[in-house]
């Protein structure tokens, strides 16, 4: 006997022989599956639900409920993201803010999260990154070393002034002459 002949008003779901779920149930299942591996922002989950054809009003209802029970917390997500990416990858406040914006975190929450890092912490992390990379630039001329190291920091979101200051200090501590900083060779 076919599923159509069984008197069942609903056809099997995606060939699995299961009755179709209502959109709210589908949305909850999708969100729970996505949240199992890692934390996500409300916007990331909303985008995933939209992509899977869940109506916006159902998505909003499910996502609001998930926020109420604490399964979605953009502020906690942003705090954890800043902590992890700053210490793990060495990203500066500017790069962290950009990543959080791309994930749909509210600008106020981004400011609060990146505000946890002060300039001293950021500069200390920049020094650590330069110290790790410094050895691999030995043998290169000073200008090239300066550009490579400052470029590495710039890609991680460090301000240009801080990057140059940290790199110059590291090169000086290593014994590199600072003669080209002024653009000429002193006599």
């Amino acid at each position: 006997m076919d599923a159509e002949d069984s008197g069942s008003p609903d056809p099997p779901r995606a060939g699995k022989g299961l009755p179709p779920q209502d959109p709210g149930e589908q949305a909850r299942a999708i969100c729970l599956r996505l949240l199992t591996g890692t934390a996500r922002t409300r916007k990331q989950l909303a985008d995933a639900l939209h992509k899977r054809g869940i109506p916006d009003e159902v998505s909003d209802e499910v996502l609001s409920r998930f926020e109420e029970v604490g399964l979605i917390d953009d502020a906690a997500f942003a705090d954890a993201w800043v902590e992890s990416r700053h210490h793990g990858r060495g990203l500066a406040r500017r790069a962290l803010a950009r990543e959080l914006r791309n994930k749909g975190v509210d600008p106020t929450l981004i400011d609060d999260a990146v505000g946890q890092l002060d300039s001293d912490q950021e500069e200390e992390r920049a020094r650590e990154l330069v110290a790790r990379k410094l050895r691999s630039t030995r043998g290169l001329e000073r200008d090239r070393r300066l550009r490579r190291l400052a470029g590495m920091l710039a890609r991680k979101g460090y301000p240009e002034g801080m990057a140059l200051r940290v790199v110059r200090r590291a090169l000086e501590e290593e014994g590199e002459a600072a003669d080209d900083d002024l653009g000429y060779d002193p006599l």
Side-chain angles (χ1 to χ4, degrees), residues 74-75 77-83 93 96 100 105 107-117:
D74 284 0
F77 176 89
D79 291 344
W81 188 265
V82 166
E83 179 72 21
R93 291 179 288 195
L96 293 165
L100 289 170
V105 176
T108 320
L109 298 177
I110 292 172
D111 291 342
D112 292 344
V114 297
Q116 298 172 21
L117 301 175

Side-chain angles (χ1 to χ4, degrees), residues 11-21 33:
R13 187 176 62 212
K16 297 180 183 175
L18 300 172
Q21 293 178 331
R33 188 175 66 249

